[in-house]
Amino acid sequence: MADATHRHGKRVTRITEVAHPLDPLTEAEISLGRSIIDAAGLITDTVRFPAVLPVEPDKKATMAWKPGKPFDRSILYVLLDTATGISHEVVVSVTDQKIVSQTKVKSDEHPYGQPPYLFEEYERVEALVKTNPEWLAAVARRGITNVDDIFCAPLAPGYFGVEDEIGRRMIRSLTFLRNNPTDSPWAHPVEGLLVTIDLTKGEVVRVQDEGDVPTPTGSGNYDVGTVGPARESLRPIEITQPDGPSFSVNGSLVEWENWKFRVSFNSREGLVLNQVTFTDKGEERSVLYRASVPEMVVPYGDKSINRFWISYFDAGEYLLGKNSNPLALGCDCLGVIHYFDGIAADDHGHPMVVGQAVCMHEEDFGVLWKHTDLDGTADSRRSRRFVISYFATVGNYDYGFFWYLYLDGTIQVEAKATGIVFNGAGVPGSHDPHASEIAPGLFAPVHQHIFSARLDVAIDGLDNSVEEVEVMGVPMGPENPHGNAFTYSETTLEKECSRLANSAAFRTWHVASGHRKNYTGAPTRYQLIPQGYPVLMAQPESSVAKRAAFATQHLWVSKYEPNELWPAGMYPNQHAGGAGLPEYIAGGDSIHNQDIVLWHQFGPTHIPRTEDWPVMPVDYSGFLFKPHGFFDINPALDLPDGNNAACACCGSGKCGTDECTCNHAH
Ligand code: NI
């Protein structure tokens, strides 16, 4: 089973022995698979592993699986020969201890696509840039003398059909100054200087150097030494659970109140929730088979040579899980915490442990339901939510991915974007239609963060349909004599498709069971409520619109296919476009009472603010997945009286009386 230990008084799970087909990969499995590849002679001095991912087990077999029965565990290793730039996908069954398949990645053929970057490639970038005479001349021309402290940001180049870039393993580098080794480089962008590198040849392909905008000198640091002493006015808030938390963890299985699910984690997606169920009147009912945020894109709306090409795919190009934060070094959750270690793989295909990558805890969430009767009788129940989260840091930005399960059956997904806004330099006080000046001379381009959530839904089973629901007025006339009437439409989406949100019509999508009805006779349903923020702003003819086609729509619905996991395809890095969701729905399969997957795009469009500098307060975005006729009745009627149960100082039963000294608002 799992190794659940107390580290410094904290509860931590690291899965060391696989007990369920959906358990995350273990260190031993990753090592075993690698040794099988090594024994086959496939690992030379120049071979690296840009990705190591679990092969998803067969869905029907997994659903039918019973404890004690055998199951297969396979791992996909992507091997890159850094000497040739040629990559292979090698699938190893660690159960059968053999290589199952070996396939060349067609990085050199249209539509191209490169495996994600290796950590060691970032170091190579710095070494190549800093020894390049053209670049040295460009920084010298700007009067920059301290080359040692310069930061060379390694950035995915996009795809623009440039002859000496297509089909090659490329990367670009922007230059940032540091006044000392710990100075924040993001405050000192060197404008108009772009280096493009061929990683396989290990050479600088071109240095573009234009303009003479001075590099801003203001500090971007936010340490105590820079901002001064921390305020002392805040009194402590302590979250205590004197009787322990209300959840239990057994291997990858987590149970909290009526919720049950399995935690998984991989290098690319980070956190994955499997087999999410809600126990309703003693019956365990399925809601989601698998849920994750497998891709995101950060396209910039600026046309300068430094940034027109920027559109980071943080999962597919950089790997969110591999870049996740070891919360062992600083956890941001409050309460009684249970962690899961994240197991990824390093550049050499060896297991890499991200200590306490996933954080779980309970959180009070105010009032869940309340009513004061005509006779003055007051009832109120407190809401509590279960939080499962992780953070990834990719360059300047930090992303938190938070899944909230509520007592009333609601699921909420929230992305927290924080970290440091990406800047260029400009003339202080000037106007730039594609950027805002967030500090003197620092211009932050307009940009978007569009996340893609993959919801492999299973509302009371796999036979599900999607109804698009929206509200509408009724024209004055015999159907609406007083003009007040309005109604709603429900349109079943029959075939694989993509859809936009429409906030003005409160457009939502209901996922309905094909066979189960609630006690009013309606299909049992969950409702996806989008925030409806803008989708991709780039023009349809642009490169990024083809490469990040997933981000052009709020919703895609596809028929489940085992290998369809990636919204922008398996290798979005330098891919010419069209992969992922456009391919997944191209067949136009029926999605009526089928095993279907919903892909929902959400996230902020940023016009950066001065308040976002030098480190950005969290920008929240997300969506709700809410029962809508799934239960026959409010599933949280049986909660205890919140006043007494949740307020420690009112445990005396004097809550609401004059003798209660509790400061909580009741
Ligand atoms: Ni932003």
Side-chain angles (χ1 to χ4, degrees), residues 592-627:
H592 189 79
N593 292 344
Q594 299 289 333
D595 184 3
I596 58 174
V597 178
L598 274 66
W599 311 73
H600 175 50
Q601 281 57 245
F602 63 95
T605 294
H606 276 163
I607 304 171
R609 312 171 299 161
T610 50
E611 294 86 351
D612 291 332
W613 189 251
V615 62
M616 191 178 100
V618 165
D619 192 294
Y620 301 90
S621 62
F623 63 93
L624 293 172
F625 196 55
K626 226 175 147 167

Side-chain angles (χ1 to χ4, degrees), residues 257-287:
E257 294 302 295
N258 296 310
W259 291 103
K260 197 185 265 196
F261 60 94
R262 287 186 179 275
V263 170
S264 190
F265 187 91
N266 66 61
S267 287
R268 183 159 173 170
E269 293 163 287
L271 176 64
V272 177
L273 302 187
N274 286 309
Q275 296 188 323
V276 181
T277 67
F278 192 99
T279 298
D280 173 27
K281 292 176 281 193
E283 178 192 2
E284 200 179 309
R285 297 174 62 190
S286 74
V287 178

Side-chain angles (χ1 to χ4, degrees), residues 246-247 255-260 278-279 362 384 407 639:
S246 320
F247 60 90
E255 295 183 67
W256 177 71
E257 294 302 295
N258 296 310
W259 291 103
K260 197 185 265 196
F278 192 99
T279 298
E362 290 172 90
R384 206 185 285 191
L407 293 168
L639 291 178

Side-chain angles (χ1 to χ4, degrees), residues 397 447 449 606:
Y397 257 110
H447 63 276
H449 307 255
H606 276 163

Side-chain angles (χ1 to χ4, degrees), residues 651-664:
S652 60
K654 291 173 180 168
C655 194
T657 71
D658 292 343
E659 289 170 73
C660 175
T661 55
C662 177
N663 285 326
H664 292 241

